Amino acid sequence: MILNSKIIGKSSNCIIILHGLFGSLDNWFSIGKELSDTFQVHLVDLTNHGKSFHTNEHNYELMSKDVYNYIKHYQIKNASIIGHSMGGKVAMVFSTYYSQLIKNLIVVDIAPRKYNNEHQIIINALSEISTIKLDSRKDAEAILNKYGINQQTSQFLLKNLFWSKDENLIFRFNLNAIKKSIHDLLDFPIEFETVKIKSFFIRGTKSTYINEDDLKFINEKFSNSTLIDIFGAGHWVHFDQRKKFIETIKKITV
């Protein structure tokens, strides 16, 4: 099976964009459109997300293999891969196995390490939503509000709701697989040799996802890496400083 995607632009210079946990390619559509004047942009729904296929297993090795199958299917050569958060970990794992297929590795606000589980409240709220019949998105929003989930995150999660063929409002992502695998997703579970391809780690200066200890490890394991700080941005760098983010991508992928 091949991952679902939207392909924008006709350049021979390709960019593949991998979204974060609970996201989808739609989160990146407007950015992809702006990049498409220079690149052919592949916006991809990762496994168990968006309109891509669901599986019981959900880990970085399997997701990177799905990206490999996608690249081979479309016969893409020398692509730049952008991955945000979970997508950044997928991109890093991919680079350890298939570096010969990548021109540039671009990791957005994530490091190759284990993180604390700050998603459990979200998972609990989504689990409750999944047990009831929803009449509207407002029903789901009310439950997210009850769990104290902020408005920005709530709106991000609600974009995943859709009306099924049997007229139920349900999430596109595979919540059961994500719940089962959350500890693996928070970790970076592989030992790997030094990655020598050109790599960029983009960090929001208001984010704590990449710290100084992370930078030491990144410099050791990604020997041709550059850190780029985007000021005024939090973890969702591409939303918080959209214009600067797009300018940065165009500059480093020429």
Side-chain angles (χ1 to χ4, degrees), residues 27-41:
N27 304 139
W28 286 83
F29 182 76
S30 59
I31 290 175
K33 197 168 182 180
E34 288 199 47
L35 291 172
S36 67
D37 61 349
T38 308
F39 309 95
Q40 182 181 77
V41 182

Side-chain angles (χ1 to χ4, degrees), residues 33-230:
K33 197 168 182 180
E34 288 199 47
L35 291 172
S36 67
D37 61 349
T38 308
F39 309 95
Q40 182 181 77
V41 182
H42 291 249
L43 303 169
V44 176
D45 280 332
L46 287 168
T47 319
N48 288 319
H49 288 75
K51 295 180 181 178
S52 283
F53 50 86
H54 287 190
T55 65
N56 291 327
E57 300 300 318
H58 192 73
N59 59 59
Y60 291 116
E61 288 86 350
L62 291 175
M63 283 189 280
S64 66
K65 180 65 174 178
D66 291 332
V67 173
Y68 170 81
N69 290 337
Y70 179 89
I71 287 174
K72 299 302 285 185
H73 176 79
Y74 285 102
Q75 299 181 338
I76 300 169
K77 297 181 179 178
N78 296 320
S80 296
I81 295 187
I82 302 173
H84 172 244
S85 201
M86 180 190 76
K89 285 190 172 183
V90 175
M92 284 186 279
V93 172
F94 183 89
S95 74
T96 69
Y97 292 136
Y98 311 109
S99 61
Q100 74 278 9
L101 299 177
I102 306 176
K103 179 181 178 183
N104 299 294
L105 170 67
I106 303 166
V107 179
V108 184
D109 211 58
I110 200 74
R113 65 165 165 96
K114 184 176 182 177
Y115 287 81
N116 294 327
N117 187 2
E118 298 176 354
H119 300 286
Q120 195 57 51
I121 291 176
I122 291 175
I123 289 173
N124 292 344
L126 295 174
S127 296
E128 181 173 336
I129 292 169
S130 297
T131 64
I132 65 173
K133 181 172 174 51
L134 300 173
D135 293 322
S136 70
R137 283 176 169 78
K138 288 189 177 296
D139 294 342
E141 186 174 11
I143 294 174
L144 294 171
N145 290 339
K146 183 181 76 173
Y147 280 82
I149 295 168
N150 66 58
Q151 186 177 17
Q152 183 183 34
T153 304
S154 290
Q155 294 306 309
F156 168 75
L157 294 168
L158 292 171
K159 287 179 180 178
N160 286 280
L161 286 170
F162 76 105
W163 291 103
S164 64
K165 291 180 180 179
D166 55 359
E167 299 185 350
N168 286 319
L169 195 58
I170 59 176
F171 288 112
R172 289 197 185 277
F173 47 69
N174 184 351
L175 182 59
N176 287 334
I178 292 169
K179 284 167 61 176
K180 186 175 73 172
S181 306
I182 189 63
H183 294 294
D184 288 335
L185 297 176
L186 292 168
D187 205 349
F188 194 80
I190 67 167
E191 296 291 334
F192 61 100
E193 300 295 325
T194 300
V195 175
K196 298 180 181 179
I197 61 172
K198 190 185 293 185
S199 306
F200 300 91
F201 285 76
I202 298 178
R203 177 174 66 173
T205 58
K206 291 185 175 181
S207 173
T208 59
Y209 274 70
I210 300 178
N211 60 38
E212 294 308 309
D213 288 337
D214 296 329
L215 291 179
K216 293 176 184 177
F217 185 70
I218 288 168
N219 289 333
E220 175 187 337
K221 287 296 189 178
F222 296 86
S223 61
N224 191 15
S225 65
T226 301
L227 173 70
I228 300 172
D229 278 330
I230 295 190

